[in-house]
Short mmCIF file of all heavy atoms in Angstrom, two decimals:
data_model
loop_
_atom_site.label_atom_id
_atom_site.label_comp_id
_atom_site.label_asym_id
_atom_site.label_seq_id
_atom_site.Cartn_x
_atom_site.Cartn_y
_atom_site.Cartn_z
N PRO A 133 35.99 -27.51 112.23
CA PRO A 133 37.37 -27.19 111.65
C PRO A 133 38.28 -28.29 111.75
O PRO A 133 38.29 -29.02 112.86
CB PRO A 133 37.68 -25.95 112.57
CG PRO A 133 36.44 -25.36 113.05
CD PRO A 133 35.45 -26.54 113.11
N SER A 136 40.07 -28.61 114.98
CA SER A 136 39.48 -28.42 116.26
C SER A 136 39.35 -29.67 117.04
O SER A 136 38.89 -30.71 116.65
CB SER A 136 37.92 -27.92 115.93
OG SER A 136 37.20 -27.87 117.09
N PRO A 137 39.59 -29.53 118.43
CA PRO A 137 39.44 -30.69 119.25
C PRO A 137 37.96 -31.18 119.29
O PRO A 137 37.63 -32.21 119.65
CB PRO A 137 39.93 -30.12 120.70
CG PRO A 137 39.86 -28.72 120.56
CD PRO A 137 40.05 -28.34 119.09
N TYR A 138 37.03 -30.27 118.97
CA TYR A 138 35.57 -30.55 119.01
C TYR A 138 35.15 -31.21 117.87
O TYR A 138 33.90 -31.64 117.79
CB TYR A 138 34.84 -29.30 119.33
CG TYR A 138 35.28 -28.67 120.62
CD1 TYR A 138 35.45 -27.22 120.66
CD2 TYR A 138 35.58 -29.26 121.64
CE1 TYR A 138 35.83 -26.61 121.80
CE2 TYR A 138 36.01 -28.74 122.89
CZ TYR A 138 36.14 -27.30 122.95
OH TYR A 138 36.60 -26.73 124.04
N TYR A 252 27.90 -13.53 120.48
CA TYR A 252 27.37 -14.74 119.62
C TYR A 252 26.12 -15.23 120.29
O TYR A 252 26.09 -15.43 121.49
CB TYR A 252 28.39 -15.72 119.50
CG TYR A 252 29.78 -15.23 118.74
CD1 TYR A 252 30.81 -14.72 119.46
CD2 TYR A 252 29.64 -15.37 117.38
CE1 TYR A 252 31.90 -14.17 118.71
CE2 TYR A 252 30.80 -14.81 116.68
CZ TYR A 252 31.91 -14.22 117.41
OH TYR A 252 32.97 -13.76 116.72
N VAL A 283 28.32 -17.68 111.61
CA VAL A 283 29.20 -18.80 111.95
C VAL A 283 28.67 -19.98 111.32
O VAL A 283 29.21 -20.81 110.82
CB VAL A 283 29.47 -18.87 113.47
CG1 VAL A 283 30.37 -19.95 113.87
CG2 VAL A 283 30.06 -17.51 114.01
N TRP A 289 27.64 -27.20 117.61
CA TRP A 289 28.05 -28.14 118.70
C TRP A 289 28.61 -27.24 119.80
O TRP A 289 29.50 -26.38 119.53
CB TRP A 289 29.16 -29.16 118.05
CG TRP A 289 28.62 -30.25 117.27
CD1 TRP A 289 27.33 -30.51 116.99
CD2 TRP A 289 29.50 -31.19 116.61
NE1 TRP A 289 27.25 -31.61 116.10
CE2 TRP A 289 28.54 -31.98 116.00
CE3 TRP A 289 30.81 -31.39 116.36
CZ2 TRP A 289 29.02 -33.07 115.08
CZ3 TRP A 289 31.31 -32.51 115.65
CH2 TRP A 289 30.39 -33.32 114.97
N TYR A 299 30.96 -22.71 124.47
CA TYR A 299 31.60 -22.28 123.19
C TYR A 299 30.89 -23.17 122.07
O TYR A 299 30.46 -24.44 122.24
CB TYR A 299 33.06 -22.61 123.20
CG TYR A 299 33.81 -21.47 123.87
CD1 TYR A 299 33.69 -21.43 125.35
CD2 TYR A 299 34.49 -20.48 123.26
CE1 TYR A 299 34.43 -20.43 126.06
CE2 TYR A 299 35.09 -19.45 123.93
CZ TYR A 299 35.08 -19.46 125.32
OH TYR A 299 35.71 -18.37 125.99
N ALA A 300 30.69 -22.53 120.90
CA ALA A 300 30.09 -23.26 119.80
C ALA A 300 30.97 -23.33 118.57
O ALA A 300 31.56 -22.34 118.18
CB ALA A 300 28.84 -22.47 119.51
N ILE A 301 30.90 -24.51 117.94
CA ILE A 301 31.46 -24.71 116.59
C ILE A 301 30.39 -25.00 115.61
O ILE A 301 29.35 -25.62 115.98
CB ILE A 301 32.75 -25.58 116.47
CG1 ILE A 301 32.23 -27.07 116.69
CG2 ILE A 301 33.82 -25.19 117.21
CD1 ILE A 301 33.05 -28.21 116.18
N ASN A 302 30.47 -24.56 114.48
CA ASN A 302 29.50 -24.99 113.39
C ASN A 302 30.29 -26.25 112.68
O ASN A 302 31.30 -26.13 112.06
CB ASN A 302 29.49 -23.92 112.28
CG ASN A 302 28.56 -24.39 111.12
OD1 ASN A 302 28.03 -25.46 111.11
ND2 ASN A 302 28.65 -23.66 110.02
N ALA A 389 35.58 -16.45 112.46
CA ALA A 389 35.55 -17.19 113.53
C ALA A 389 34.92 -18.68 113.35
O ALA A 389 35.08 -19.51 114.16
CB ALA A 389 34.79 -16.45 114.79
N ALA A 390 34.32 -18.79 112.23
CA ALA A 390 33.76 -20.07 111.83
C ALA A 390 34.96 -21.12 111.75
O ALA A 390 34.57 -22.34 111.84
CB ALA A 390 32.90 -20.01 110.59
N ASP A 391 36.03 -20.84 111.52
CA ASP A 391 37.18 -21.68 111.41
C ASP A 391 37.99 -21.76 112.65
O ASP A 391 38.99 -22.49 112.71
CB ASP A 391 38.11 -21.26 110.19
CG ASP A 391 37.22 -21.48 108.83
OD1 ASP A 391 36.82 -22.58 108.68
OD2 ASP A 391 37.16 -20.52 108.21
N ALA A 392 37.56 -21.05 113.68
CA ALA A 392 38.31 -21.13 114.98
C ALA A 392 38.15 -22.44 115.65
O ALA A 392 37.09 -22.96 115.97
CB ALA A 392 37.91 -19.92 115.94
N PRO A 393 39.32 -23.16 115.90
CA PRO A 393 39.21 -24.44 116.50
C PRO A 393 38.42 -24.55 117.85
O PRO A 393 37.75 -25.51 118.08
CB PRO A 393 40.61 -24.91 116.66
CG PRO A 393 41.51 -24.05 115.91
CD PRO A 393 40.62 -22.78 115.64
N GLN A 394 38.60 -23.46 118.72
CA GLN A 394 37.87 -23.44 119.95
C GLN A 394 36.36 -23.03 119.78
O GLN A 394 35.68 -23.06 120.96
CB GLN A 394 38.60 -22.59 120.91
CG GLN A 394 40.10 -23.03 121.30
CD GLN A 394 40.17 -24.44 121.87
OE1 GLN A 394 39.27 -24.84 122.61
NE2 GLN A 394 41.22 -25.07 121.67
N GLY A 395 35.99 -22.42 118.73
CA GLY A 395 34.67 -21.99 118.55
C GLY A 395 34.51 -20.66 119.15
O GLY A 395 35.45 -19.91 119.41
N VAL A 396 33.19 -20.27 119.34
CA VAL A 396 33.00 -18.80 119.72
C VAL A 396 32.13 -18.87 120.96
O VAL A 396 31.28 -19.77 121.22
CB VAL A 396 32.23 -18.02 118.68
CG1 VAL A 396 33.05 -17.74 117.47
CG2 VAL A 396 30.95 -18.79 118.27
N PRO A 397 32.26 -17.91 121.99
CA PRO A 397 31.61 -18.01 123.19
C PRO A 397 30.25 -17.53 122.97
O PRO A 397 29.86 -16.52 122.31
CB PRO A 397 32.32 -16.97 124.25
CG PRO A 397 32.97 -16.04 123.15
CD PRO A 397 33.31 -16.78 121.87
#
Side-chain angles (χ1 to χ4, degrees):
S136 168
Y138 305 137
Y252 293 94
V283 178
W289 284 359
Y299 282 76
I301 62 162
N302 170 16
D391 292 303
Q394 299 298 330
V396 294

